[in-house]
Amino acid sequence: MSVHPLIDKIEAQQLRPAEGEGSLPEFGAGDTVRVHYRIIDSGKERIQVFEGVCLGVSGAVNRRTFTVRKISHGTGVERVFPLHSPLIAKLEVSRRGRVRRAKLYYLRNLSGKAARIREKRDW
Amino acid sequence: MAKMMLGRKLGMTQIFEENGTVLPVTAVQVGPLVVVGKKSANGKDGYSALQLGFEAARKFAKEGDNRYRGLTKAQVGVFAAKKLEPMKVIRELRVDEADLDNYEIGQVIPADTFAEGDIIDVSATSKGRGFSGVMKRHNFAGFKASHGVHESYRGGGAIGMSADPARVFKGMKMPGRYGGTRSTVQNQRLVRVVCETSGEGESQTRAADGVYLIRGQVPGAIGGLVEIRAAVKKHR
């Protein structure tokens, strides 16, 4: 719901371009994504890659965020990224998953073989 | 120099800073203000101030009806005497006596009076909450929802002692009217000023109205009048 047309305008300015430079490929729940995230440490900038399964995308307009889950040294790690954050340098989709839900929170209770996601095939 | 701006609260959103931090901001549509009066310490007023008007008053819809909505004939007359359009809102801004000469009646104070990064105090009438209990009004903790508590989950408990002092002390926090009063939030940061300036270079006219994005919350309901002044207790 829109609060005020002027707020819509301010929010629209925050969005990254839908295509071309600075845009992200389309992805959704179940896809395995590689997020290239800018980290600024003691004045130096480097890029860290966080790869994992996207559990879902939530929020609207400039508040849109997505959750990525990966298993790191046997422990589940989840990170929430703001979709339109200037700190996301790049995002790659390394695998498209076939899922029947918008939010894959059930993966948190599964591990190993049970936590696999079938690959999406188009033919 | 004393500065002031008036506006209407639009609502809240969030923006990204350049380093990627997400800032919660309140959008306020501001200005322009018109100087409608001057008060001088030497005159009958006894103190120096500017009277600033905001938002043109509207006439009644009926053709030939020269009354203005929300203004008495006397109020309209004050504007007419100065050859100004009647304004809905008037607020005073205290300025130094010496600065009074820098302003003329009818002068427009543009929205870009404040710049990005300024530290400001924001005043407005807070949302009226009606007759509220002590939990909402005074942040009391209430009682437990279980463990034998009965019919007293949100109460305030005892309000005094016994036969001595045999009265309730003044200022005891109790339920009552809450909200709907003037409230000021100090030391807010003006994150962004969105103004549309027309023209280029020397001939550029300063934007009359614009939108301020203020970090954090602003008192009052959406659409409420908001007063913005330079911070009185700047810290940092």
Side-chain angles (χ1 to χ4, degrees):
Chain A
M1 199 193 72
S2 163
V3 183
H4 193 279
L6 278 170
I7 288 193
D8 289 346
K9 222 168 122 186
I10 291 160
E11 288 180 345
Q13 285 165 0
Q14 301 286 312
L15 308 185
R16 59 170 73 243
E19 44 194 49
E21 198 175 337
S23 67
L24 301 181
E26 223 167 89
F27 68 98
D31 295 345
T32 305
V33 292
R34 290 170 61 84
V35 184
H36 296 249
Y37 202 68
R38 287 201 184 100
I39 309 253
I40 298 158
D41 267 348
S42 56
K44 270 193 224 153
E45 191 184 288
R46 65 195 168 83
I47 286 194
Q48 199 178 63
V49 179
F50 191 91
E51 179 169 20
V53 179
C54 174
L55 291 191
V57 186
S58 63
V61 214
N62 61 338
R63 292 174 297 276
R64 212 159 170 77
T65 59
F66 59 96
T67 308
V68 181
R69 177 181 173 87
K70 75 167 177 184
I71 307 296
S72 175
H73 302 292
T75 314
V77 176
E78 279 180 24
R79 256 190 101 162
V80 182
F81 295 98
L83 188 69
H84 296 284
S85 166
L87 293 186
I88 297 180
K90 200 167 88 169
L91 186 141
E92 298 163 300
V93 180
S94 46
R95 192 169 175 273
R96 300 260 177 206
R98 187 177 108 74
V99 290
R100 298 169 67 157
R101 243 146 272 276
K103 304 280 190 277
L104 307 180
Y105 298 138
Y106 66 88
L107 284 182
R108 290 171 180 165
N109 302 323
L110 304 178
S111 64
K113 271 191 174 183
R116 285 173 303 173
I117 290 172
R118 272 196 286 168
E119 186 149 8
K120 197 193 247 168
R121 295 181 184 281
D122 347 271
W123 66 75
Chain B
M1 201 172 71
K3 288 198 277 190
M4 180 183 186
M5 200 27 74
L6 294 170
R8 296 267 169 204
K9 178 168 164 180
L10 295 180
M12 288 192 75
T13 181
Q14 66 180 34
I15 59 167
F16 290 103
E17 268 194 318
E18 272 172 25
N19 62 8
T21 319
V22 173
L23 285 185
V25 292
T26 307
V28 179
Q29 187 169 25
V30 293
L33 303 186
V34 178
V35 179
V36 296
K38 296 205 276 189
K39 288 187 168 182
S40 168
N42 304 324
K44 63 180 175 181
D45 300 309
Y47 65 97
S48 54
L50 287 178
Q51 289 180 319
L52 303 173
F54 175 60
E55 288 183 342
R58 280 190 304 145
K59 281 187 178 176
F60 282 96
K62 215 169 99 185
E63 193 71 26
D65 192 344
N66 279 325
R67 293 173 303 154
Y68 284 87
R69 284 168 177 278
L71 294 181
T72 62
K73 260 189 193 172
Q75 287 168 328
V76 173
V78 170
F79 287 98
K82 293 169 180 171
K83 303 208 164 42
L84 293 171
E85 283 292 303
M87 311 284 274
K88 246 192 250 179
V89 182
I90 294 183
R91 286 290 181 276
E92 265 186 28
L93 170 67
R94 294 291 295 267
V95 293
D96 287 338
E97 183 72 28
D99 286 336
L100 274 183
D101 295 334
N102 300 336
Y103 298 94
E104 301 163 32
I105 285 176
Q107 185 181 337
V108 173
I109 299 191
D112 54 1
T113 300
F114 288 94
E116 286 176 12
D118 281 0
I119 305 298
I120 52 177
D121 290 347
V122 181
S123 308
T125 304
S126 63
K127 279 185 184 175
R129 291 167 179 84
F131 194 99
S132 302
V134 287
M135 286 179 74
K136 190 192 283 276
R137 192 173 186 230
H138 297 299
N139 295 326
F140 281 20
F143 294 92
K144 284 176 179 168
S146 65
H147 290 297
V149 175
H150 53 92
E151 295 92 43
S152 183
Y153 312 105
R154 297 182 60 90
I159 57 167
M161 289 58 96
S162 188
D164 179 26
R167 65 189 179 93
V168 173
F169 291 134
K170 280 192 174 174
M172 182 60 58
K173 291 175 179 174
M174 286 205 253
R177 283 282 184 96
Y178 178 41
T181 55
R182 183 184 170 85
S183 163
T184 303
V185 185
Q186 295 183 325
N187 291 316
Q188 300 261 65
R189 185 155 60 91
L190 184 54
V191 180
R192 198 164 294 175
V193 177
V194 188
C195 282
E196 270 154 36
T197 39
S198 56
E200 279 176 28
E202 299 272 308
S203 63
Q204 193 172 45
T205 50
R206 297 175 76 191
D209 66 336
V211 176
Y212 282 180
L213 298 185
I214 299 165
R215 205 211 156 223
Q217 294 85 346
V218 163
I222 287 173
L225 182 75
V226 175
E227 286 180 43
I228 297 161
R229 293 162 195 269
V232 286
K233 294 184 200 165
K234 218 178 274 185
H235 66 119
R236 76 178 58 193

